[in-house]
Amino acid sequence: MPRTYVALDLELTGLDPQRDAITEIGMVKFKGDKVLDTFSSLVNPHRSIPFKIEQLVGISESDVADAPSIGSLKGEILSFAGNYPLIGHSVQTDLDFINRHGLFLDNLAIDTFELATILLPEVNRYSLGNLSDFLDIELSREHRALADAMATKDLFLALIEKMSQWDTATLREITRLSRNSDWPLLRVFNDVLAEQRERGRVPPRGYPATPASLSLQPSEAQEIPPLEPTSTITPIDEEALVEFMSPDGGFAHAFAGYEHRAEQIEMLRGVIQAFNMPTHLLVEAGAGTGKSIAYLLPAIHFATQNGRRVVISSNTINLQDQLFNKDIPDLQGILPMPFRAAILKGRGNYICLRRLNSFRRSRQLSIDETRVLAKVLAWLPKTKTGDRAELLLINEEWKVWQDIQASSETCLRDRCPFRQSGQCFFYRAREKAERAHLVIVNHALLLTDLALESHILPDYDYVIVDEAHHLEERATSQFSFHAGHRDVRNFLSGISYETNEAPGGVLADVPVLFGNIGVEDPKREAITSLIETLRSRVREAKRTLHALFDTLSEFLEDHTDGSGTGRYDQRERITSGFRFQPGWTKVEIAWENFSVPVMEVLNGLGQLIERIEGASFGEEEERDEVLQSLRAYLRRGTEIWEGLYQILMEPEDNGVYWVSRSRYDDEIVLHSAPLHVGVLLRDKLFAEKDCVILTSATLRTARSFHFIEDRLGLEDPVELALESPFDFEKSLLLYVPKDIPEPNQPHYQEHVEKALIDLCRATEGRTLVLFTSSSHLRRTYRAIRGPLEEDEIVLFGQYIDGSRRQLLSRFRNTPKSVLMGTRSFWEGIDVVGQALSCLVIARLPFSVPTDPILAARAETFDNPFNEYYLPDAILSFRQGFGRLIRSREDYGIVVVLDKRILTKSYSPMFLSSLPKCTARQGPLSSLPKLARRWLDPCLRE
């Protein structure tokens, strides 16, 4: 028989339980699909309701002025809900508020958001509204408590119906592995399992089962023929392709509304010539050029007529999705020659079925582990890729994924039964890439492949790097190393740790292999003895590790000024001068004391691997798994030892080294990074590949490619600079107030606040404000929110009002709104139309000079500011500037609240980097009227 539940929803003044309050409560009591009773009441929060909440929910302060308090409703609420389980969407948020009033402290709470992320992996967004649309659930008034509670009830019942289609074996496995936990959803799984048993129902095929019997989606690569390179290269017919892109050509006939752009044709010709020569090419293509089509068409023609593979690398997922899910399918639909495209990611993005099998053999799982396993079992029959991007993993669930993801360290390769049967998702993706003309990757994978000398990507000699202005940053990250006290301690504990019950870690897995099978006694004794020695050495390594980082901590306290503490992490470069300070010798001694037992651990792991390989075990699969784990720890330990040794004892000339201390938990981490990645890119990319095409909207500074060429190690490429086809002079006004103080001068902040209030009132929102620091953003947010809300303008702030995606969605869909963001909002933002009509740049985006990598690189220049910091800031400035005009129909105003762009000697370099637009400067007081006039279509005529 079904249980009785109570669906609960609250409307709130905000999401902070300490400062915000309840404005409405709605409850639905139900049993099965029968509604037993409902309860709804407005609630007086005894505090103001923010304007953005009033706009979202539709509850005003006048509505709740005479409403009862939550305290006075307590008796009715408790009487209605009793001890029944509560159902809520993101229920913990509601509980954080309602529990403060002594309500529902002991009720079981079941979260439909959590349940939906398990049962509906194909959904992109898990809001109540989106899930209701997906499942055809009626939601009469979204963001009103009773309507949302009713929709939550319907959502819960729909999800239970989905779960009831799982097979009994899977449900039994989930309940077994979580039986000793206090996971609220365990009650739901048990109820559905009991109902299945009661009905004696046989579930349909294709639902979650063990990987051995799981019917996975078939591999698409098996029926695809491999590429067959031609003996000679056939050049691309440049004029034929240009004709195809002409106003009357095939492309125009295929796509209604196609606009012929001279800049796109010029880029098309440049890319064709780079393929045909072949040579390396730098292309800066302004907004609206249509650069993806300009490089895709030549790449497709070259690849198909020569049987060659072209790799296309992007920095962002958004561009990958655009290329793979839109641009390439569009071209496949109109081009006469068939071509194949594949997307390939790093191993860690794919699930490993062998590791999943091992994970499922666990005797007991935590709540996070059980939740991830349930998500995976619901997803496996549906996925074609095994890509984690199709799952919603939250917080600690990412750590669980690491236990089941594919990795080079744990891969058995040809010996893996899942690879042998064609079920390995990573090798499926790689096989598809091997048969593809175009392979879409990201910069991180491209660089990893270069470092590993093509052990990941199939062979290629032609590569297109889009969003190339990020290549140096990504290469720096890819070739960097860091390890802290916690990292090394966790590594050592992964080898061996001790509890009151029994030893743990990978060493504890070895004796399990013995079981009752015949490993001859001398070999068994030798392995057992070696394990005990290793455990002893691990204990010693942990002790000396603690001493090493204690010594580092004392050194930092004695020999640094503590700059960076307080609001920011402390970061200190480890330079030659740093190493000559008194006390560094103690650090070196502490390293030597730590190094000895660590090396003994690594040597012992090597010996243990050899002895296990030389012994005969009955279960070869289990032995192989243990061996792979031991090899992985040996490789990781060697990497850690070599990285720390280089930082502390033997620094290289082309390295940057520093130590950081977290302001949150005092954790000390040691870091290293390459001083100049251009050397690595020159040797591994440009010298090895026939044709590398690098493109972006921002590659030049002061109309020159010199800076980017130097940073990337690119020598004598062909250069091509294409202005945007948009008419910036008619569509964009650039305004710089002359009477505003410079940043860091007195009263600058007050001027920024007043400028934003007056400007956003004049533009009625529709404004994106870009900051260079989160502290500046927060301070400004607090100052201007109240005045803007008085004029019914909603303010959204990064780090304050939601995730980046949520903020962009709300900004696009809220007519009178302002969005404030920091560095991640300076690029990759596309808000077309009047929703974004005004862009404000609070400060010129100069990098923090104390950053260890930037400081070290700056020292390699005779004039660090002009030769390094300034060009870097100009590239960032151009990215931010480019957020405003995204189509021919867009028009708007850019305001720079940093008059250094007018007054400093470097001002012309900033201004000359921008497209030709209408520019004005004047008093701050003139800005609102000028902005209103520029944005009013009638006044602009």
mmCIF file of all heavy atoms in Angstrom, residues 580-596:
data_model
loop_
_atom_site.group_PDB
_atom_site.id
_atom_site.type_symbol
_atom_site.label_atom_id
_atom_site.label_comp_id
_atom_site.label_asym_id
_atom_site.label_seq_id
_atom_site.Cartn_x
_atom_site.Cartn_y
_atom_site.Cartn_z
ATOM 1 N N PHE A 580 68.435 31.535 0.022
ATOM 2 C CA PHE A 580 69.627 31.928 0.771
ATOM 3 C C PHE A 580 69.287 32.520 2.132
ATOM 4 O O PHE A 580 70.173 32.847 2.916
ATOM 5 C CB PHE A 580 70.464 32.936 -0.025
ATOM 6 C CG PHE A 580 71.336 32.282 -1.065
ATOM 7 C CD1 PHE A 580 71.162 32.555 -2.411
ATOM 8 C CD2 PHE A 580 72.328 31.388 -0.692
ATOM 9 C CE1 PHE A 580 71.957 31.950 -3.371
ATOM 10 C CE2 PHE A 580 73.126 30.779 -1.643
ATOM 11 C CZ PHE A 580 72.945 31.053 -2.991
ATOM 12 N N GLN A 581 68.013 32.651 2.434
ATOM 13 C CA GLN A 581 67.628 33.200 3.726
ATOM 14 C C GLN A 581 67.942 32.214 4.843
ATOM 15 O O GLN A 581 67.895 30.994 4.648
ATOM 16 C CB GLN A 581 66.125 33.528 3.743
ATOM 17 C CG GLN A 581 65.736 34.698 2.859
ATOM 18 C CD GLN A 581 64.320 35.156 3.139
ATOM 19 O OE1 GLN A 581 63.979 35.400 4.298
ATOM 20 N NE2 GLN A 581 63.518 35.270 2.098
ATOM 21 N N PRO A 582 68.252 32.746 6.025
ATOM 22 C CA PRO A 582 68.484 31.858 7.173
ATOM 23 C C PRO A 582 67.244 31.006 7.423
ATOM 24 O O PRO A 582 66.121 31.480 7.348
ATOM 25 C CB PRO A 582 68.722 32.831 8.334
ATOM 26 C CG PRO A 582 69.110 34.114 7.688
ATOM 27 C CD PRO A 582 68.412 34.172 6.370
ATOM 28 N N GLY A 583 67.447 29.780 7.681
ATOM 29 C CA GLY A 583 66.325 28.881 7.960
ATOM 30 C C GLY A 583 65.976 27.964 6.809
ATOM 31 O O GLY A 583 65.318 26.938 7.016
ATOM 32 N N TRP A 584 66.400 28.311 5.572
ATOM 33 C CA TRP A 584 66.068 27.441 4.443
ATOM 34 C C TRP A 584 66.793 26.093 4.562
ATOM 35 O O TRP A 584 66.284 25.067 4.100
ATOM 36 C CB TRP A 584 66.396 28.120 3.123
ATOM 37 C CG TRP A 584 65.964 27.299 1.936
ATOM 38 C CD1 TRP A 584 66.746 26.552 1.123
ATOM 39 C CD2 TRP A 584 64.614 27.123 1.469
ATOM 40 N NE1 TRP A 584 65.978 25.916 0.168
ATOM 41 C CE2 TRP A 584 64.664 26.252 0.353
ATOM 42 C CE3 TRP A 584 63.371 27.604 1.886
ATOM 43 C CZ2 TRP A 584 63.522 25.869 -0.340
ATOM 44 C CZ3 TRP A 584 62.232 27.232 1.180
ATOM 45 C CH2 TRP A 584 62.315 26.365 0.090
ATOM 46 N N THR A 585 67.961 26.119 5.180
ATOM 47 C CA THR A 585 68.687 24.860 5.377
ATOM 48 C C THR A 585 67.837 23.866 6.169
ATOM 49 O O THR A 585 67.861 22.652 5.902
ATOM 50 C CB THR A 585 70.004 25.123 6.124
ATOM 51 O OG1 THR A 585 70.788 26.033 5.366
ATOM 52 C CG2 THR A 585 70.776 23.838 6.334
ATOM 53 N N LYS A 586 67.053 24.359 7.135
ATOM 54 C CA LYS A 586 66.170 23.478 7.895
ATOM 55 C C LYS A 586 65.118 22.845 6.998
ATOM 56 O O LYS A 586 64.739 21.674 7.182
ATOM 57 C CB LYS A 586 65.489 24.264 9.026
ATOM 58 C CG LYS A 586 66.425 24.727 10.123
ATOM 59 C CD LYS A 586 65.639 25.462 11.210
ATOM 60 C CE LYS A 586 66.558 25.951 12.330
ATOM 61 N NZ LYS A 586 65.797 26.677 13.368
ATOM 62 N N VAL A 587 64.640 23.614 6.010
ATOM 63 C CA VAL A 587 63.669 23.068 5.062
ATOM 64 C C VAL A 587 64.309 21.942 4.257
ATOM 65 O O VAL A 587 63.710 20.882 4.051
ATOM 66 C CB VAL A 587 63.131 24.174 4.128
ATOM 67 C CG1 VAL A 587 62.241 23.569 3.041
ATOM 68 C CG2 VAL A 587 62.372 25.228 4.921
ATOM 69 N N GLU A 588 65.556 22.160 3.811
ATOM 70 C CA GLU A 588 66.242 21.132 3.028
ATOM 71 C C GLU A 588 66.488 19.864 3.849
ATOM 72 O O GLU A 588 66.349 18.744 3.341
ATOM 73 C CB GLU A 588 67.554 21.692 2.490
ATOM 74 C CG GLU A 588 67.351 22.809 1.460
ATOM 75 C CD GLU A 588 68.663 23.381 0.962
ATOM 76 O OE1 GLU A 588 69.684 23.220 1.677
ATOM 77 O OE2 GLU A 588 68.678 23.988 -0.124
ATOM 78 N N ILE A 589 66.841 20.057 5.117
ATOM 79 C CA ILE A 589 67.051 18.892 5.996
ATOM 80 C C ILE A 589 65.742 18.137 6.193
ATOM 81 O O ILE A 589 65.697 16.895 6.157
ATOM 82 C CB ILE A 589 67.645 19.339 7.346
ATOM 83 C CG1 ILE A 589 69.073 19.872 7.138
ATOM 84 C CG2 ILE A 589 67.625 18.192 8.354
ATOM 85 C CD1 ILE A 589 69.660 20.524 8.374
ATOM 86 N N ALA A 590 64.651 18.887 6.392
ATOM 87 C CA ALA A 590 63.339 18.255 6.575
ATOM 88 C C ALA A 590 62.935 17.497 5.310
ATOM 89 O O ALA A 590 62.323 16.420 5.383
ATOM 90 C CB ALA A 590 62.290 19.311 6.924
ATOM 91 N N TRP A 591 63.284 18.052 4.139
ATOM 92 C CA TRP A 591 63.013 17.355 2.891
ATOM 93 C C TRP A 591 63.790 16.036 2.828
ATOM 94 O O TRP A 591 63.235 15.003 2.449
ATOM 95 C CB TRP A 591 63.349 18.217 1.686
ATOM 96 C CG TRP A 591 63.548 17.388 0.437
ATOM 97 C CD1 TRP A 591 64.711 17.031 -0.164
ATOM 98 C CD2 TRP A 591 62.504 16.750 -0.326
ATOM 99 N NE1 TRP A 591 64.483 16.232 -1.243
ATOM 100 C CE2 TRP A 591 63.130 16.037 -1.370
ATOM 101 C CE3 TRP A 591 61.115 16.702 -0.214
ATOM 102 C CZ2 TRP A 591 62.415 15.304 -2.307
ATOM 103 C CZ3 TRP A 591 60.390 15.969 -1.154
ATOM 104 C CH2 TRP A 591 61.042 15.284 -2.177
ATOM 105 N N GLU A 592 65.069 16.084 3.192
ATOM 106 C CA GLU A 592 65.893 14.863 3.156
ATOM 107 C C GLU A 592 65.313 13.802 4.092
ATOM 108 O O GLU A 592 65.262 12.616 3.751
ATOM 109 C CB GLU A 592 67.332 15.188 3.552
ATOM 110 C CG GLU A 592 68.072 16.076 2.555
ATOM 111 C CD GLU A 592 68.416 15.356 1.273
ATOM 112 O OE1 GLU A 592 68.151 14.145 1.173
ATOM 113 O OE2 GLU A 592 68.935 16.001 0.349
ATOM 114 N N ASN A 593 64.867 14.237 5.266
ATOM 115 C CA ASN A 593 64.286 13.286 6.222
ATOM 116 C C ASN A 593 63.005 12.657 5.676
ATOM 117 O O ASN A 593 62.700 11.497 5.943
ATOM 118 C CB ASN A 593 63.983 13.991 7.550
ATOM 119 C CG ASN A 593 65.244 14.397 8.284
ATOM 120 O OD1 ASN A 593 66.317 13.823 8.062
ATOM 121 N ND2 ASN A 593 65.127 15.390 9.155
ATOM 122 N N PHE A 594 62.242 13.438 4.919
ATOM 123 C CA PHE A 594 61.017 12.933 4.299
ATOM 124 C C PHE A 594 61.328 12.081 3.075
ATOM 125 O O PHE A 594 60.689 11.054 2.822
ATOM 126 C CB PHE A 594 60.122 14.111 3.909
ATOM 127 C CG PHE A 594 58.953 13.741 3.050
ATOM 128 C CD1 PHE A 594 57.914 12.966 3.543
ATOM 129 C CD2 PHE A 594 58.886 14.162 1.727
ATOM 130 C CE1 PHE A 594 56.823 12.624 2.740
ATOM 131 C CE2 PHE A 594 57.813 13.828 0.919
ATOM 132 C CZ PHE A 594 56.779 13.054 1.432
ATOM 133 N N SER A 595 62.312 12.501 2.316
ATOM 134 C CA SER A 595 62.628 11.833 1.051
ATOM 135 C C SER A 595 63.038 10.386 1.252
ATOM 136 O O SER A 595 62.692 9.511 0.452
ATOM 137 C CB SER A 595 63.741 12.599 0.327
ATOM 138 O OG SER A 595 64.097 11.983 -0.883
ATOM 139 N N VAL A 596 63.784 10.111 2.323
ATOM 140 C CA VAL A 596 64.306 8.749 2.537
ATOM 141 C C VAL A 596 63.178 7.729 2.655
ATOM 142 O O VAL A 596 63.133 6.737 1.896
ATOM 143 C CB VAL A 596 65.240 8.710 3.762
ATOM 144 C CG1 VAL A 596 65.593 7.269 4.118
ATOM 145 C CG2 VAL A 596 66.499 9.519 3.488
#
